[in-house]
Amino acid sequence: MKDEIKDTKSFFQEISEQLYIYISKISPAGLDWVFHIIVKLGLLVAIFLFLDFIFKIIINYTFRFFHNENRFPVLKSIYQSRITNSVAHFIALVIIGSLHESIFVGALKQTTIFIIRCVNLGLVLVLAGMLYRSLTAFRNYFTIQQDYYKVMAINAISETVKILGIFLFTIVSICVIFGIKGTTIVGSLGAITAVLVLVFRDTILGFVTGIHVATSKSLKVGDWIGIPKYNIEGNILDISLLTTKISNFDKTISSIPTYDLLTTEIKNLQVMSESNTRRIKKSIFFNINSFKFLSIEEIERLKEINLISDYLKEKTSEINQEKESIEHNDKIINGRQLTNIGVFRYYAQKYLENDSEIDKDSPIMVRQLEITPQGLPLEVYCFANDSQWVRFEQIQADIFDHLLVASKEFDLQIMQISVKV
């Protein structure tokens, strides 16, 4: 085997010597080194393409046996990201670098430095491409695993690594091309550190936000969110390093700085959507002047309402028993009494509890809020059992349509602004 390798090297050396003699004869005086570089690069590129083609066929063919992403998610992710091509490039370049000096022995050695630097530059670029494709492989793997929080973290990291990678690989490439020591350039970066921090401020904040969101699992692509600061409500389309895109419900697209996800109030409504429940929290304002104690006749009339019939019978019995021991029990104000607003509040509560479109596992409450100049707010607090926007609005409207009209049965006046013409 060693003898065959020696014979191959000798064959290439003989060809290179003949090319050296031939090029030296036909090239103009003083320009023979230019022609030698062109010929050397041409031969090396041809050999590189041939080796690269062979290695890609072998490596990719091997990885095709692991196409099942459920059984081999890691290998499938590597194949999809084309890291195998970068490996083939790297192996071919290493072989070219090791064969170069042994092939072109004695043929204008001053051109050897240029060729070596070109090969080293190629290795740097291949390594950079391999790094970027590795990030894509991580993203593909977590996509296969359906771990979208980690996908978002990888997106944030990859954008940052790409920016920093371009910066670092540019420095390394300059060092390789001009033969400069890396410590010389890196040492001078201290003077411009403040400038770099200022330039990459949004990048750094976006990176930190992406890591925080991914680790806290508070947001992900597809979530339904609301941002009061910007009056935005919609679904997250994309979270990148610098901007986050949101598809609003009016079919428009909003873009906000990614770091706002960390510094701004965000309402994640996705939990509501996933539980298929949506909160109803709305008030009816009543005129306080319409509040009154209920007379015996009015109570008897309201007993015909099925939802509150038993309640009125029980409360009437309790009140009558208490009045027997109270002086001046003929005065309606003495002792406990039923009021139209109180009975209506109980009616509204029972109406919600018996509504099939209200979620019974969530809080159901009808309560009085603080009195305002517009009247007394009676708030309905419950959860509809359908979170779809259109259906939710129908459920909410049906409830308040009924309560607004039913309030007339209790002689209650709803506040509204009167306009004088």
Side-chain angles (χ1 to χ4, degrees), residues 325-388:
S325 60
I326 296 176
E327 295 183 1
H328 308 293
N329 54 20
D330 56 325
K331 287 286 186 180
I332 194 170
I333 197 172
N334 290 329
R336 287 195 302 156
Q337 299 294 335
L338 293 173
T339 62
N340 59 346
I341 185 63
V343 174
F344 176 75
R345 178 165 49 83
Y346 182 83
Y347 170 81
Q349 178 79 25
K350 299 302 290 184
Y351 178 78
L352 295 175
E353 291 175 357
N354 285 273
D355 192 336
S356 61
E357 294 174 325
I358 298 300
D359 183 53
K360 304 303 185 296
D361 296 328
S362 302
I364 301 175
M365 180 170 51
V366 180
R367 60 173 181 166
Q368 293 181 2
L369 301 182
E370 187 176 351
I371 298 176
T372 69
Q374 288 76 36
L376 175 71
L378 195 67
E379 183 184 75
V380 172
Y381 188 99
C382 59
F383 289 80
N385 57 15
D386 195 328
S387 63
Q388 294 298 319

Side-chain angles (χ1 to χ4, degrees), residues 284-294 298 302 308 311-312 337-349 366-369 371 375-379 403 406-415:
I284 301 174
F285 286 78
F286 289 101
N287 186 350
I288 298 175
N289 294 325
S290 64
F291 297 169
K292 64 179 181 178
F293 293 119
L294 292 175
E298 289 171 328
L302 293 175
I308 58 175
Y311 169 78
L312 291 175
Q337 299 294 335
L338 293 173
T339 62
N340 59 346
I341 185 63
V343 174
F344 176 75
R345 178 165 49 83
Y346 182 83
Y347 170 81
Q349 178 79 25
V366 180
R367 60 173 181 166
Q368 293 181 2
L369 301 182
I371 298 176
L376 175 71
L378 195 67
E379 183 184 75
L403 294 179
S407 64
K408 296 179 180 179
E409 293 292 326
F410 299 82
D411 297 328
L412 291 169
Q413 295 180 6
I414 297 171
M415 294 297 294

Side-chain angles (χ1 to χ4, degrees), residues 415-421:
M415 294 297 294
Q416 60 180 354
I417 300 174
S418 58
V419 181
K420 294 182 179 180
V421 181

Side-chain angles (χ1 to χ4, degrees), residues 243 333 391 401 406 416:
T243 60
I333 197 172
R391 184 64 190 136
D401 287 348
Q416 60 180 354

Side-chain angles (χ1 to χ4, degrees), residues 302-320:
L302 293 175
K303 283 182 180 180
E304 297 177 0
I305 301 175
N306 295 334
L307 289 177
I308 58 175
S309 178
D310 294 338
Y311 169 78
L312 291 175
K313 291 177 181 178
E314 180 183 351
K315 287 297 180 182
T316 302
S317 175
E318 291 178 3
I319 291 171
N320 290 336

Side-chain angles (χ1 to χ4, degrees), residues 119-302:
V119 173
N120 290 338
L121 178 61
L123 289 173
V124 170
L125 296 177
V126 169
L127 287 174
M130 193 179 297
L131 174 63
Y132 295 155
R133 288 176 174 178
S134 298
L135 294 172
T136 303
F138 277 111
R139 187 186 299 110
N140 292 340
Y141 173 76
F142 289 121
T143 300
I144 292 173
Q145 299 295 324
Q146 296 184 349
D147 193 341
Y148 297 109
Y149 291 107
K150 290 184 179 178
V151 170
M152 187 168 57
I154 290 296
N155 288 337
I157 293 173
S158 63
E159 292 293 332
T160 304
V161 171
K162 284 180 181 179
I163 293 174
L164 296 178
I166 291 172
F167 179 73
L168 294 176
F169 280 114
T170 301
I171 293 176
V172 174
S173 300
I174 293 173
C175 294
V176 169
I177 293 172
F178 296 101
I180 304 172
K181 292 184 178 180
T183 54
T184 304
I185 295 180
V186 173
S188 64
L189 292 179
I192 58 173
T193 301
V195 177
L196 291 176
V197 172
L198 181 62
V199 171
F200 293 110
R201 172 182 172 272
D202 290 350
T203 302
I204 296 171
L205 289 174
F207 172 75
V208 173
T209 302
I211 297 299
H212 170 74
V213 170
T215 53
S216 65
K217 297 185 178 181
S218 57
L219 295 171
K220 67 179 184 297
V221 174
D223 278 2
W224 171 15
I225 67 169
I227 308 178
K229 177 181 177 180
Y230 299 113
N231 194 25
I232 291 174
E233 186 173 330
N235 297 105
I236 300 176
L237 289 180
D238 179 57
I239 301 178
S240 64
L241 184 64
L242 297 179
T243 60
T244 296
K245 292 183 180 179
I246 300 169
S247 175
N248 301 310
F249 292 140
D250 59 359
K251 303 300 182 181
T252 59
I253 304 295
S254 297
S255 296
I256 63 170
T258 296
Y259 58 78
D260 265 4
L261 299 180
L262 190 62
T263 59
T264 304
E265 178 192 359
I266 305 292
K267 289 184 178 181
N268 192 337
L269 308 173
Q270 188 63 24
V271 177
M272 176 182 68
S273 178
E274 291 174 354
S275 65
N276 201 33
T277 58
R278 187 168 181 177
R279 187 183 70 176
I280 297 174
K281 186 175 182 291
K282 204 170 181 180
S283 299
I284 301 174
F285 286 78
F286 289 101
N287 186 350
I288 298 175
N289 294 325
S290 64
F291 297 169
K292 64 179 181 178
F293 293 119
L294 292 175
S295 64
I296 296 175
E297 292 78 11
E298 289 171 328
I299 293 174
E300 291 299 322
R301 177 175 60 84
L302 293 175

